[in-house]
């Protein structure tokens, strides 16, 4: 079994609990207008690696993980390499290293469910609040991500709902309301994280010679995003 990896971040502090070894998987079937990793979209290329080779690298960072940290599989879309990641996560479980998936939740299958059974935390992107926007700006449906969330809830997997805030597209009061409702409805949701849309990926698009679909959209005020995240967190806590 071979995995295709785009890149690594040895000690990421923003991709799950504690300090984490973040593996960016190669390949993603979606076409999000806000994507800041357009170079991970192709399923070609990337570094080929076996589960044992990847685990051996992760293992080296164990002293930095503490009780919370571990491995995070991000992308690209990690679900597209679920079989490979199941082997890696299984080795991590046996070795006492926690596992985290950063995903769009776009697909479910037996293989994906097996991977979820080996996953401690899921960072689930809830990109928009309705089917129309989901289909228009990502290529997947809103109902697919909700079906994925239902499975996380059934399995009782710690879930963080994440949203990149894109001015004019998903920053309306009803968008926040949607995140609050989902958190209240599904008890697996432990936290909501809002991240400001950033355009530092513009250079990547230029290098790849492809248009950045959201180049015309301004970045939001990061302080306002942080404030809204705090407001939502407070609502979830007191509900
Ligand atoms: S799911 Fe992530 S990697 Fe895939 S296109 Fe969307 S933002 Fe990019």
């Amino acid at each position: 079994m071979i995995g295709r990896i785009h890149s690594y971040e040895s000690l990421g502090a923003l991709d799950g609990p504690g300090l984490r070894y973040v593996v960016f998987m190669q390949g993603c079937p979606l076409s999000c207008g806000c994507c800041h990793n357009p170079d991970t979209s192709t399923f070609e290329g990337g570094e080929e690696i076996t589960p044992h080779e990847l685990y051996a690298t992760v293992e080296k960072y164990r002293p930095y993980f503490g009780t919370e940290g571990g491995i995070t599989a991000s992308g690209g879309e990690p679900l597209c390499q679920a079989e490979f990641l199941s082997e890696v996560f299984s080795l991590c479980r046996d070795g006492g290293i926690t596992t985290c998936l950063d995903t769009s939740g776009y697909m479910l299958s037996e293989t994906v469910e097996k991977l979820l059974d080996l996953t401690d935390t899921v960072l689930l992107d809830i990109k928009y609040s309705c089917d129309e926007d989901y289909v228009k700006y990502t290529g997947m449906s809103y109902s697919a991500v909700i079906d994925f969330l239902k499975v996380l809830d059934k399995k009782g997997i710690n879930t963080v709902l994440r949203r990149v805030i894109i001015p004019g597209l998903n920053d309306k009061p009803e968008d926040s309301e949607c995140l609050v409702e989902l958190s209240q409805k599904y008890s697996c949701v432990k936290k909501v994280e809002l991240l400001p849309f950033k355009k530092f990926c513009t250079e990547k698009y230029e290098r790849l010679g492809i248009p950045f679909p959201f180049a015309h959209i301004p970045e939001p005020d990061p302080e306002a995003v942080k404030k809204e995240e705090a407001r939502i967190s407070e609502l979830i806590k007191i509900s």
Side-chain angles (χ1 to χ4, degrees):
M1 170 63 48
I2 293 287
R4 283 183 183 273
I5 313 287
H6 174 269
S7 55
Y8 306 91
E9 189 184 340
S10 47
L11 288 170
L14 304 171
D15 297 288
L19 286 178
R20 311 200 68 85
Y21 190 82
V22 187
V23 187
F24 296 93
M25 307 302 292
Q26 185 70 47
C28 180
L30 301 187
S31 47
C32 304
C34 65
C35 185
H36 60 270
N37 286 331
D39 43 349
T40 63
S41 86
T42 172
F43 287 90
E44 302 299 315
E47 180 193 340
E48 294 188 0
I49 194 167
T50 67
H52 279 91
E53 283 168 343
L54 179 53
Y55 178 69
T57 310
V58 177
E59 245 270 308
K60 290 187 194 144
Y61 292 89
R62 183 196 293 275
Y64 301 97
F65 293 154
T67 49
E68 285 204 303
I71 184 173
T72 294
S74 184
E77 177 44 73
L79 301 182
C80 294
Q81 299 192 58
E83 207 177 334
F84 166 78
L85 282 173
S86 290
E87 289 197 28
V88 178
F89 279 18
S90 173
L91 291 167
C92 290
R93 276 265 168 104
D94 290 348
I97 292 172
T98 71
T99 57
C100 177
L101 267 184
D102 176 10
T103 178
S104 64
Y106 98 108
M107 69 180 275
L108 282 166
S109 67
E110 253 181 56
T111 322
V112 166
E113 292 223 21
K114 189 178 159 213
L115 174 63
L116 292 177
D117 289 336
L118 295 161
T119 302
D120 296 309
T121 303
V122 170
L123 312 176
L124 182 62
D125 279 0
I126 298 276
K127 297 168 189 289
Y128 301 95
S129 315
C130 66
D131 228 29
E132 196 187 340
D133 288 346
Y134 246 98
V135 172
K136 190 167 168 191
Y137 299 122
T138 74
M140 74 177 273
S141 69
Y142 179 65
S143 55
V145 71
I146 297 304
D147 286 346
F148 195 87
L149 180 55
K150 284 178 186 164
V151 171
L152 297 180
D153 200 48
K154 197 175 87 199
K155 291 181 183 290
I157 300 174
N158 282 344
T159 300
V160 178
L161 297 185
R162 281 186 149 187
R163 174 169 288 166
V164 173
I165 296 297
I166 306 160
L169 295 190
N170 62 7
D171 61 346
K172 297 177 287 302
E174 55 266 38
D175 291 307
S176 290
E177 191 50 38
C178 163
L179 292 172
V180 172
E181 276 174 18
L182 292 176
S183 308
Q184 289 169 338
K185 186 165 178 190
Y186 299 102
S187 60
C188 65
V189 177
K190 305 296 176 209
K191 200 175 169 191
V192 170
E193 287 181 0
L194 303 185
L195 312 167
F197 167 61
K198 297 267 192 205
K199 294 166 79 170
F200 57 78
C201 54
T202 305
E203 256 182 44
K204 281 191 197 172
Y205 281 93
E206 282 168 3
R207 235 186 5 251
L208 291 167
I210 52 175
F212 177 18
F214 286 0
H216 59 289
I217 298 179
E219 292 184 354
D221 171 11
E223 280 309 308
V225 173
K226 225 196 249 170
K227 255 173 119 176
E228 185 59 5
E229 181 187 85
R231 192 186 71 83
I232 289 177
S233 303
E234 199 53 35
L235 279 175
I236 294 168
K237 211 163 62 192
I238 58 174
S239 65

